[in-house]
Amino acid sequence: MAKPPRGLLKTIRIIDAFSEWTGRVFRWLVLPLVFALTYEVIARYAFHAPTVWAFDLSYMLYGSHFMLGAGYCLLRQGHIRTDVFYGKWTPRRQGWVDSVCYLLLFFPGMIFFFLASWDSALHSFTIREVSDASSWRPFIYPFKMVVPLTALLLMIQGVSEFLKSFYAALRGEWL
């Protein structure tokens, strides 16, 4: 078969490298989460001195880690797929199904997710929103900014995945 266009390969490689990099950066959010929870457990059970900040910090760090890793997960094909059918299809059919689903479901959903979360995050930033979950009352607007950033990272990686699937639909082989 003919070689894929260089521009297509370059675009896919740049986007995939970016998603790989973000996955490597955001994975480090696990360390402060582990340290905070370890400190909380030791303080609570060994010294009978629970903290007021551990709950808020843990849900913000875990939520951020989970959300910001979604683009990397898409790059690594880690999202749910109905493999009972999909695995038996030819690369051409897989490519067509993926391409259509990216265009009709994924991108419109991510655009809606971005726009809805951007309004909420911007409002939270404007009023300098704080958490009411504890007496510590940390700023929550940085955490709310994670949601539109996640949608943006997913859309960026979605472009690469769409290009790969459209190529498979046309050529009958995956890049």
Side-chain angles (χ1 to χ4, degrees):
M1 292 214 146
K3 293 175 74 173
R6 283 184 21 184
L8 175 71
L9 286 176
K10 187 173 183 178
T11 301
I12 289 170
R13 285 187 184 129
I14 288 170
I15 293 171
D16 288 355
F18 175 73
S19 292
E20 182 76 33
W21 178 80
T22 60
R24 291 177 185 269
V25 168
F26 296 135
R27 73 180 175 189
W28 291 104
L29 289 172
V30 168
L31 289 180
L33 174 63
V34 168
F35 290 135
L37 291 175
T38 301
Y39 181 87
E40 169 64 15
V41 168
I42 292 170
R44 178 179 299 262
Y45 295 107
F47 302 109
H48 303 290
T51 64
V52 296
W53 50 265
F55 174 73
D56 290 313
L57 190 64
S58 65
Y59 79 73
M60 285 190 250
L61 285 171
Y62 179 69
S64 297
H65 179 259
F66 177 80
M67 295 289 289
L68 293 170
Y72 176 78
C73 187
L74 183 59
L75 168 68
R76 296 290 175 198
Q77 305 296 314
H79 291 280
I80 296 172
R81 174 178 281 141
T82 310
D83 288 334
V84 172
F85 305 112
Y86 190 86
K88 296 177 182 175
W89 293 342
T90 64
R92 186 176 305 274
R93 177 179 252 178
Q94 290 174 345
W96 278 116
V97 169
D98 284 356
S99 297
V100 169
C101 287
Y102 274 109
L103 286 177
L104 297 180
L105 301 172
F106 179 82
F107 288 118
M110 286 300 107
I111 290 168
F112 174 76
F113 185 44
F114 176 80
L115 294 175
S117 63
W118 177 253
D119 287 343
S120 175
L122 190 59
H123 176 71
S124 181
F125 177 78
T126 303
I127 65 170
R128 301 291 193 258
E129 186 177 7
V130 296
S131 172
D132 291 331
S134 72
S135 60
W136 181 42
R137 298 179 50 84
F139 289 115
I140 199 166
Y141 61 88
F143 179 61
K144 286 194 173 183
M145 288 291 188
V146 165
V147 182
L149 179 57
T150 295
L152 185 63
L153 292 172
L154 275 166
M155 282 190 283
I156 290 169
Q157 184 57 38
V159 169
S160 173
E161 299 304 317
F162 169 75
L163 292 173
K164 292 175 203 172
S165 62
F166 193 65
Y167 179 85
L170 295 177
R171 300 281 177 96
E173 64 180 2
W174 287 100
L175 288 174

